[in-house]
Amino acid sequence: MCSYHINQYYKFVSKFKQILEAIFFFFITIIIGVTGWIIYQVYVPFKYRFLKSGKLSKKRSKQINTIYLFIILLSSAYITYGISFPDDSFFKDEFSKVTLREIPGSAVFIEKSTDIPDFHGDYCSSSQIQLSPEDYTKLLNELKNDTIFSPEQQLGSDGFTKTLAEKKPGKIKSGFKRDIEGKNGHYYYIGFYEDGITIFVNICII
């Protein structure tokens, strides 16, 4: 899979990311809403019993309904946010997928970007990570001498541009890709910035 096609794909996905997130939020809301409706039906007989006995006022019943609806919407937003903006553990796993190594203890995530996986599980992710000079040099030397990695130019995409932040793509001194046998749509890349502490990890599955 050539970098050009991956770049075009990433740019296309970036343009519609907000629309996809809105659609995803809608479906999550529907799923949680249906689940919430089923749970609410269990509550309904008790509600009418409490209303009839006077233990529950109509005003309080409306408040409970409003709070319950708010919880459903909040849950949908939380799940959508968690998938759209995963925590560091997700990107640590991405590092391991690319390098087949555990991420060094000195690693600090500076920038992160990822897409919502589509129905086929296709997505792209990118991260800027700072390592100690020792871990940076050790990892660079290991990948240079590992035959499963081959030299590769950096991935020029909107997602990668976000994780570059103030850094310049032309100052990535070494880049490597790892091909996955039988999976031509899997693009695994790691780049080493010239400052001696910064790396970039990119995964694109299409």
Side-chain angles (χ1 to χ4, degrees):
M1 176 64 63
C2 68
S3 299
Y4 172 78
H5 289 100
I6 293 171
N7 295 343
Q8 293 300 111
Y9 170 81
Y10 210 149
K11 289 178 181 179
F12 174 81
V13 170
S14 296
K15 290 180 181 179
F16 293 96
K17 186 175 181 180
Q18 290 184 339
I19 296 176
L20 291 174
E21 288 176 351
I23 294 173
F24 185 78
F25 174 77
F26 173 77
F27 280 111
I28 288 294
T29 302
I30 292 298
I31 293 172
I32 294 179
V34 170
T35 303
W37 180 82
I38 294 172
I39 295 174
Y40 186 78
Q41 295 310 302
V42 176
Y43 160 72
V44 167
F46 296 96
K47 181 184 74 171
Y48 286 125
R49 184 182 303 173
F50 292 148
L51 284 170
K52 187 175 182 180
S53 66
K55 294 181 179 179
L56 179 67
S57 66
K58 291 184 178 181
K59 181 179 179 181
R60 179 64 67 182
S61 178
K62 289 181 179 179
Q63 289 175 340
I64 291 174
N65 292 341
T66 301
I67 293 172
Y68 190 68
L69 179 61
F70 177 76
I71 290 173
I72 289 176
L73 293 175
L74 187 63
S75 299
S76 301
Y78 178 79
I79 293 173
T80 303
Y81 182 87
I83 295 176
S84 301
F85 304 98
D87 59 19
D88 287 356
S89 62
F90 170 83
F91 292 95
K92 287 179 180 179
D93 289 340
E94 298 290 90
F95 174 92
S96 297
K97 287 179 185 178
V98 173
T99 65
L100 298 180
R101 292 161 171 79
E102 291 295 323
I103 193 167
S106 64
V108 176
F109 288 93
I110 306 303
E111 299 287 345
K112 300 174 291 186
S113 176
T114 188
D115 299 324
I116 294 177
D118 65 15
F119 294 107
H120 302 287
D122 297 348
Y123 76 100
C124 290
S125 72
S126 181
S127 60
Q128 178 188 152
I129 307 170
Q130 283 189 359
L131 306 176
S132 68
E134 295 77 17
D135 286 335
Y136 175 98
T137 301
K138 180 176 181 291
L139 180 62
L140 176 58
N141 290 334
E142 285 181 359
L143 299 189
K144 280 182 178 179
N145 296 311
D146 194 330
T147 56
I148 67 173
F149 293 92
S150 56
E152 175 68 305
Q153 64 183 15
Q154 68 268 16
L155 179 66
S157 66
D158 291 344
F160 187 43
T161 299
K162 291 178 183 177
T163 56
L164 272 171
E166 79 287 351
K167 291 183 167 55
K168 309 297 182 183
K171 292 187 177 182
I172 294 178
K173 69 175 186 178
S174 298
F176 304 92
K177 69 174 181 177
R178 183 168 71 84
D179 294 324
I180 311 298
E181 185 177 356
K183 296 182 178 180
N184 294 329
H186 288 58
Y187 182 84
Y188 289 2
Y189 167 85
I190 181 170
F192 291 78
Y193 202 67
E194 68 174 15
D195 62 0
I197 58 173
T198 303
I199 62 172
F200 295 91
V201 176
N202 296 315
I203 288 183
C204 203
I205 299 176
I206 59 177

